[in-house]
Amino acid sequence: MVRRWTAESNQSDAIFGLSVGTAGDVNGDGYDELIVGAPEYDNGQTGEGRAFVFYGSARGPSNAPDWIAEPDQTEADFGVSVGTAGDVNGDGYDDVIVGADSLGAAFVFHGSPNGLSTIPNWSARADQSSAFGSSVGTAGDVNGDGYDDVVVGAIYYDNGQTDEGRAFVYEGSAGGLSATPNWTAESDQASAYFGNSVGTAGDTNHDGYADLIVGAYFYDNNQDNEGRAYVYEGSADGLNPVPSWTAESDQASAFMGYSVATAGDVNGDGYDDVIAGAVYDDHPEMDEGRAFVFEGSASGLSTTPNWTGESNQTSAYFGWSVGGGDVNGDGYDDVIAGAISYDHDQVDEGRMFLYEGSANGLSAAPDGAAESYQDSAWFGWSVGLAGDVNGDGYGDVIVGSPLYGHGQTSEGRAYVYGGQPDA
């Protein structure tokens, strides 16, 4: 894959790139933007964290951030999770969401013709110390009202079981997001860490409502810490209170659900698919990691995986991060997966793998890959579709490498790889 862009924090131990993603098109110019979190960034307060947005253009992302935000509070971990919020108020401009789990808070900033607001237009906090904001993202439009909704995870939330975790969904409207959650769900199992990963599942049954996917990587069901992924279907009344689908790794300590995401529609059948990572899965290499894709249908997601991918290297942790989108413009969505401890000339440099979709589903072997070329950079800690940052009609890929050093120790780096047609 061809690298098109990089950016760094230029500050030691900022771990820029711990979270990355598309910001959507926040200023309505037809180019997608990038958002990157650096949760240990210092600027007046130690470890307050910062989120950076780089605007797209015909030349690609800007070299310097066009927008930054900070909480102005010590050890807030602002930027530990970042992403697009979709368009929560229906004004035609995409919005962004940022989590600060040490504050127990999530913040949304609205887009406009002038770009993102300088102060949050919405924020929410949990009613207990629970790492609320450890994961954030768009939920899509779960009730079909034309406004996008957001989801926030709180992995240590207690409600009958210690550290069972909870996910919260706030619905959009013309006035923005609701002040209180419209939907919540939990694992009902102690120390399951439900909500470690959250996001839209797309529309897995093609009923016109977005569905939600949540991971609980410490969930036990016959195997200790095998992990579980859950999907909740949308409807005119919002998300269903019980999951329509769950999947587990069936292997002790595999941590399935450490990462979850929509895979898009990998086989072009009109139903969205999902991907889940199990970072310590052994098959047969110990802790090589594995990712599973489950395809959608009129009756929902398949009960067994339609595709799996793995690193084939001991302790590579494949599936630490996962995502999906169409990078080659063929109409089939592709998937990407990060393996933070993959070795290839450099120890623990990390690698990102790309698998392309087709009428027959995903390719068995990777169609592309990229690395950090630096020891212990943890390239692939975060991956995602960047949207189309230069307007060429192909989706681009963003990858975070939070321990990358380039003049400063662990300053972190984010990379964009340009989408293009297959040769």
Side-chain angles (χ1 to χ4, degrees):
M1 299 185 69
V2 178
R3 190 176 77 190
R4 305 291 190 190
W5 175 92
T6 62
E8 302 158 10
S9 70
N10 300 316
Q11 183 181 104
S12 293
D13 301 317
I15 54 176
F16 179 90
L18 192 80
S19 56
V20 299
T22 182
D25 184 1
V26 302
N27 58 1
D29 65 356
Y31 302 98
D32 287 318
E33 279 74 70
L34 310 172
I35 185 165
V36 182
E40 293 301 319
Y41 196 91
D42 303 333
N43 187 39
Q45 290 80 22
T46 301
E48 61 173 312
R50 177 181 273 189
F52 304 73
V53 170
F54 301 82
Y55 291 171
S57 73
R59 298 179 302 278
S62 50
N63 292 321
D66 298 279
W67 176 91
I68 56 174
E70 306 164 2
D72 298 326
Q73 186 165 330
T74 300
E75 304 296 348
D77 284 346
F78 184 89
V80 70
S81 54
V82 298
T84 180
D87 182 2
V88 301
N89 59 352
D91 63 356
Y93 302 96
D94 286 321
D95 313 311
V96 300
I97 185 167
V98 181
D101 61 352
S102 291
L103 280 183
F107 304 85
V108 167
F109 300 82
H110 288 171
S112 74
N114 299 316
L116 292 165
S117 56
T118 56
I119 58 174
N121 300 94
W122 174 91
S123 63
R125 294 175 184 258
D127 57 2
Q128 60 176 258
S129 178
S130 59
F132 181 89
S134 50
S135 57
V136 298
T138 181
D141 182 3
V142 301
N143 59 356
D145 64 356
Y147 302 98
D148 286 319
D149 313 310
V150 301
V151 58
V152 182
I155 62 172
Y156 302 136
Y157 198 90
D158 303 335
N159 188 36
Q161 291 83 21
T162 302
D163 294 344
E164 62 173 312
R166 178 179 272 190
F168 303 73
V169 168
Y170 300 83
E171 293 179 359
S173 71
L177 292 166
S178 55
T180 57
N182 300 93
W183 176 93
T184 62
E186 355 176 311
S187 69
D188 297 324
Q189 183 181 103
S191 301
Y193 296 172
F194 181 91
N196 177 77
S197 50
V198 297
T200 182
D203 185 359
T204 62
N205 58 355
H206 198 61
D207 64 354
Y209 303 98
D211 309 316
L212 184 78
I213 187 165
V214 182
Y217 71 96
F218 268 9
Y219 193 89
D220 305 331
N221 187 30
N222 297 324
Q223 290 85 20
D224 289 344
N225 300 334
E226 62 172 315
R228 176 182 271 188
Y230 304 69
V231 167
Y232 298 84
E233 291 181 354
S235 73
D237 298 319
L239 289 167
N240 291 327
V242 296
S244 59
W245 173 93
T246 62
E248 301 159 10
S249 70
D250 298 326
Q251 184 182 109
S253 300
F255 288 8
M256 183 176 179
Y258 188 85
S259 59
V260 297
T262 180
D265 182 2
V266 301
N267 60 354
D269 64 355
Y271 301 95
D272 285 324
D273 313 311
V274 300
I275 183 169
V279 295
Y280 294 134
D281 192 278
D282 306 331
H283 191 256
E285 291 83 8
M286 182 172 290
D287 296 341
E288 64 169 316
R290 189 186 251 194
F292 303 80
V293 168
F294 300 84
E295 293 178 1
S297 72
S299 56
L301 292 163
S302 55
T303 55
T304 57
N306 301 93
W307 174 92
T308 62
E310 53 198 69
S311 69
N312 299 318
Q313 184 181 103
T314 299
S315 299
Y317 309 145
F318 182 95
W320 194 272
S321 54
V322 294
D326 184 4
V327 303
N328 60 356
D330 64 355
Y332 301 99
D333 284 313
D334 314 308
V335 300
I336 47 180
I340 62 168
S341 291
Y342 194 90
D343 303 335
H344 186 238
D345 297 330
Q346 288 81 24
V347 175
D348 294 341
E349 62 173 316
R351 178 179 269 193
M352 178 273 292
F353 298 78
L354 167 73
Y355 301 83
E356 292 181 357
S358 73
N360 298 317
L362 292 165
S363 54
D367 297 285
E371 305 158 8
S372 69
Y373 303 109
Q374 184 178 103
D375 287 343
S376 302
W378 286 3
F379 180 91
W381 181 284
S382 52
V383 300
L385 192 71
D388 182 2
V389 299
N390 60 352
D392 64 356
Y394 300 98
D396 306 309
V397 172
I398 185 168
V399 183
S401 184
L403 297 191
Y404 192 90
H406 187 231
Q408 290 82 21
T409 303
S410 299
E411 61 176 310
R413 176 181 271 188
Y415 302 72
V416 167
Y417 297 86
Q420 59 188 15
D422 292 331

